[in-house]
Amino acid sequence: MVAGRPEIVLLIARADNGVIGSDGGIPWRIPGEQRRFKAMTMGTPMVMGRKTFESFPRPLPGRRHIVLTRDGGLAREGAEVVHSVEDAVAIADAPVISVIGGAELYRLFEPIADRIELTQVHSYPMGDAFIASPDPARWRETAREDFPTLGDVPAYSYVTYLRA
């Protein structure tokens, strides 16, 4: 973390083939993943792209929804709209900022992020949104919890990375 600015955390769910989304949704269901997401984001401002915001049936309670978009006319109930990374960080005005997607937001925030909380799904689903694995030259794994395949649920791991 850099002194004088918030901790920026990327929350990513990614399959082994890099898929993070398909047709505006997530192509897997991991029991407990939504509870983990809620626990990690509760009380923090969440920064997301427009498509991620629109994937929610309604704004999630207990969290601010900061939507970073190029659309100068976007106005949505429950969304604070910004047009740059700098504006998102400034308006968040919090000790921790959760960046929750999509792929372009992850790419924009990765250079200034402090931590990645990754759900690594050990499968190869079809998808239309992709992100690369954390670069070991920039990120070091500090925690891992592995879970086996169980019925229709693929094996997965919760992995924490800190900036190297």
Side-chain angles (χ1 to χ4, degrees), residues 47-69:
V47 179
M48 66 203 80
R50 176 190 53 81
K51 290 178 187 174
T52 298
F53 180 75
E54 290 176 348
S55 73
F56 298 136
R58 62 194 158 286
L60 302 176
R63 292 152 280 191
R64 290 172 54 206
H65 296 66
I66 300 171
V67 179
L68 175 55
T69 179

Side-chain angles (χ1 to χ4, degrees), residues 57-120:
R58 62 194 158 286
L60 302 176
R63 292 152 280 191
R64 290 172 54 206
H65 296 66
I66 300 171
V67 179
L68 175 55
T69 179
R70 290 182 289 267
D71 183 345
L74 182 73
R76 297 281 194 279
E77 176 95 21
E80 299 172 64
V81 178
V82 296
H83 305 291
S84 71
V85 168
E86 298 77 17
D87 289 347
V89 172
I91 196 172
D93 190 30
V96 177
I97 298 172
S98 299
V99 178
I100 65 166
E104 183 62 22
L105 268 281
Y106 292 137
R107 283 189 279 279
L108 289 170
F109 276 89
E110 192 275 341
I112 63 168
D114 301 291
R115 179 167 41 111
I116 297 173
E117 293 293 344
L118 175 68
T119 300
Q120 184 67 53

Side-chain angles (χ1 to χ4, degrees), residues 128-142:
D128 54 20
F130 299 85
I131 190 167
S133 294
D135 180 350
R138 296 172 67 127
W139 296 97
R140 64 183 167 83
E141 183 179 318
T142 61

Side-chain angles (χ1 to χ4, degrees), residues 1 12 23-24 34 63 67 73 80 82 91 111 118 123 162-163:
M1 192 164 94
I12 303 171
D23 292 325
Q34 289 181 337
R63 292 152 280 191
V67 179
E80 299 172 64
V82 296
I91 196 172
L118 175 68
S123 68
L162 295 178
R163 182 153 308 274

